[in-house]
Amino acid sequence: MVWLGLFVILPGVALAQETATSWAHGADGDLTLAVVVTDNADYEKLWYSTPRETAPRFSTVEKISLGQTAFAVALFSGAVAKDGEFQAVCEATIKKPNGELVEIPPKPCFDKPAKGPLTDLRLVAFSLAIKAEAHDPSGLWHVEYRIHDPITAASCKVEVSVQVDAQGKKT
């Protein structure tokens, strides 16, 4: 009887599908990284037009269809400034459902003066766009986003994902 119960339960677990993760955050000491997946192409305008004392609200998206675009938008806080600038370096890996990896190499990801408290959230200049095109594989696309502060040697990484239906109709 026990074996029969296990047999019935295990196939259900094996068939469970992954779901999209539209936001994630992580920290290493004071360095914090948050990434959100949005379909709002004006995310940068929203960020810079929102007063500092008010947190902007990004809409999140878990699924896109043919012709739609999702943006993995990253924010950080807690990096240390040197000579009035941050040294933050970002990189990413996109894993497509067919196993293909797209590596985005490390590059400086904040190009504005370091004004305000280090605890303020800042929008990085290293956002990624995923556009569902007919030749793309449908399924769950994972984005691993990494930030490194070379001054403190702190590093963070987070993973977000979006379901891509490249064969479906544009909505």
Side-chain angles (χ1 to χ4, degrees), residues 28-39:
D28 179 7
D30 291 335
L31 182 65
T32 301
L33 172 64
V35 179
V36 62
V37 180
T38 184
D39 59 354

